Amino acid sequence: MEEKLSQVGRKLKPSPIQELSHLAQRCGAINLAEGFPDFPAPFPVKNAAISAIDANLNQSSHVQGVCDLLARKMKESYGLDTDPLTDYVISCGQTEAFAATVFAIIDRGDEVLLFDPAYEAYETSINLAGGVPVYVPLDPPNWSLNMDKFMRSFTTRTKAVVLNSPHNPTGKVFTEEEFEVIAGACCKMNCFAITDEVYEYITYDDQKHICLASLPGMQERTIVTPSLSKNFQCHR
């Protein structure tokens, strides 16, 4: 039945990250491709799960309490006033949140700017939505944003810019100046920004994470996609 698949579906390739993980398993090698925890779950988490099972809490749950907490967190961390009733969606991981965002805002032929190198799932979601990934190379060795390359990448079809900071796979934390350039371009070109902030609490050398939505003119055009699992792991 492969011939019945969509044209885009037939062009999709297996994830290189998963291929490396399978190769590591076959060779007995240390797996640096995926973030598999090498430690047991904390007892409070285990006990909470056991208690939920024993109490038959096995139905689809309401997430309103979680959204209230997230709204308070965004206010405390970034000074953003958000509505827990309308501004939050709980998903199964950041990749699902990113895909849902792309499917919600990208029409066929829309262009999405990605900073290269980029996390592989971005391109797949954009292709499935009928969009066009446009790569903006970061300059090694510090993976700096070349302002001229970035601005020349915009066209009348640009619908969104994807910003991943701290960055996967380089570990780069975008500078305040780079954030201001990205925010200014999004406002000037009237496009969306999608931020991948799964590593927002994993920074070093006194570098501070910035939420793009906190910059002037950006809250109404930015979709923020963080991750509970990464945040929880770094705080354990």
Side-chain angles (χ1 to χ4, degrees):
M1 296 294 289
E2 286 189 20
E3 69 277 5
K4 296 292 186 180
L5 296 175
S6 68
Q7 292 183 11
V8 174
R10 291 199 296 271
K11 293 179 181 179
L12 296 181
K13 299 178 181 179
S15 164
I17 294 177
Q18 291 184 353
E19 288 183 349
L20 286 172
S21 292
H22 293 157
L23 180 61
Q25 289 177 346
R26 291 197 299 270
C27 299
I30 295 174
N31 183 10
L32 299 179
E34 293 185 86
F36 291 129
D38 58 357
F39 49 83
F43 281 110
V45 175
K46 292 180 179 179
N47 291 335
I50 293 169
S51 297
I53 294 170
D54 288 340
N56 293 317
L57 299 177
N58 52 15
Q59 301 299 317
S60 299
S61 62
H62 296 289
V63 299
Q64 193 50 52
V66 177
C67 295
D68 291 335
L69 289 173
L70 291 173
R72 287 200 293 271
K73 178 258 184 187
M74 293 300 286
K75 179 65 175 179
E76 294 167 359
S77 299
Y78 306 118
L80 292 171
D81 291 311
T82 54
D83 188 339
L85 290 175
T86 60
D87 294 345
Y88 293 88
V89 174
I90 307 298
S91 65
C92 295
Q94 185 276 339
T95 299
E96 181 182 355
F98 182 88
T101 298
V102 169
F103 297 153
I105 67 175
I106 298 302
D107 289 316
R108 184 164 298 281
D110 287 343
E111 295 178 352
V112 182
L113 302 190
L114 303 171
F115 297 117
D116 189 24
Y119 176 49
E120 62 176 38
Y122 301 157
E123 181 176 322
T124 300
S125 296
I126 294 166
N127 285 335
L128 285 172
V132 180
V134 177
Y135 284 94
V136 181
L138 298 173
D139 290 342
N142 296 320
W143 307 106
S144 302
L145 174 61
N146 185 303
M147 314 301 183
D148 292 333
K149 291 179 184 176
F150 176 55
M151 296 307 299
R152 288 199 302 269
S153 299
F154 282 89
T155 73
T156 56
R157 297 186 299 276
T158 303
K159 189 70 166 290
V161 176
V162 176
L163 174 61
N164 173 207
S165 181
H167 183 256
N168 178 5
T170 68
K172 167 189 171 60
V173 176
F174 282 71
T175 66
E176 185 173 350
E177 180 185 10
E178 289 170 334
F179 268 86
E180 290 174 351
V181 168
I182 295 168
C186 289
C187 291
K188 178 180 178 181
M189 303 303 293
N190 192 28
C191 66
F192 286 103
I194 308 171
T195 65
D196 176 348
E197 303 183 27
V198 301
Y199 300 109
E200 60 184 312
Y201 295 115
I202 308 179
T203 59
Y204 302 93
D205 299 328
D206 296 324
Q207 296 186 92
K208 185 179 179 181
H209 173 67
I210 299 173
C211 180
L212 187 65
S214 66
L215 273 65
M218 290 305 295
Q219 183 170 350
E220 63 269 22
R221 67 177 69 252
T222 303
I223 300 98
V224 180
T225 62
S227 171
L228 174 65
S229 64
K230 299 296 191 302
N231 293 339
F232 178 79
Q233 180 171 329
C234 82
H235 277 92
R236 62 181 293 272

